[in-house]
Amino acid sequence: MSDCIFCKIAAGEIPSTKRYEDEEIIAFNDLYPQAPVHFLVVPKKHIASAADITPENSAVVSKCFEVIAQLAKKENLSGGFRVITNSGADAGQTVDHLHFHILAGSNLGPKLCPDK
Ligand code: AMP
Ligand code: ZN
């Protein structure tokens, strides 16, 4: 998609601090880290969100999780890590291109959501 920031990063049109790249997937540091380690694993093909995963495009999602496991070993995240994907407005999705946040580097605590 021409106006999608992550499509532009995948195409090399916007700079990023890359942690991994192959023909289908790119991983790069989040611009506004929310943990000591915070990077994004992103399929290069535009999929808007987790709500748009189908039998036709899900192979790359599985591959994203292989890359996540590979990067966790490479980056020595032996203390653990959290994988998050926000889908839609209520979840706070701000970039409408499927991506997985990898958060690590400190004890992230038990809560996934702030208190209401
Ligand atoms: P979400 O809010 O779940 O859609 O996550 C989007 C994430 O993309 C946020 O954590 C942003 O900090 C991050 N982000 C936005 N623009 C960039 C960029 N140019 N490079 C790296 N991360 C970005
Ligand atoms: Zn996109």
Side-chain angles (χ1 to χ4, degrees):
M1 269 179 73
S2 57
D3 61 345
C4 170
I5 191 165
F6 286 179
C7 282
K8 287 183 178 165
I9 288 175
E13 293 165 11
I14 289 179
S16 66
T17 305
K18 279 183 217 167
R19 286 178 174 248
Y20 176 89
E21 184 169 19
D22 66 24
E23 60 287 348
E24 289 182 290
I25 291 168
I26 188 166
F28 51 88
N29 286 347
D30 197 292
L31 206 52
Y32 303 102
Q34 295 184 41
V37 175
H38 185 180
F39 60 90
L40 305 171
V41 175
V42 183
K44 287 185 174 177
K45 184 178 185 308
H46 186 89
I47 300 170
S49 77
D52 299 283
I53 296 169
T54 65
E56 287 70 37
N57 65 22
S58 65
V60 74
V61 176
S62 166
K63 201 173 164 207
C64 280
F65 279 83
E66 291 178 37
V67 168
I68 288 167
Q70 196 178 313
L71 284 174
K73 289 188 188 78
K74 186 179 159 215
E75 310 277 345
N76 194 28
L77 306 182
S78 52
F81 59 92
R82 183 169 286 161
V83 183
I84 292 175
T85 189
N86 294 317
S87 180
D90 280 0
Q93 184 177 10
T94 58
V95 176
D96 290 338
H97 180 132
L98 179 65
H99 53 281
F100 299 99
H101 295 259
I102 313 302
L103 300 151
S106 64
N107 190 319
L108 300 168
K111 291 187 178 172
L112 292 176
C113 297
D115 291 333
K116 288 186 178 177

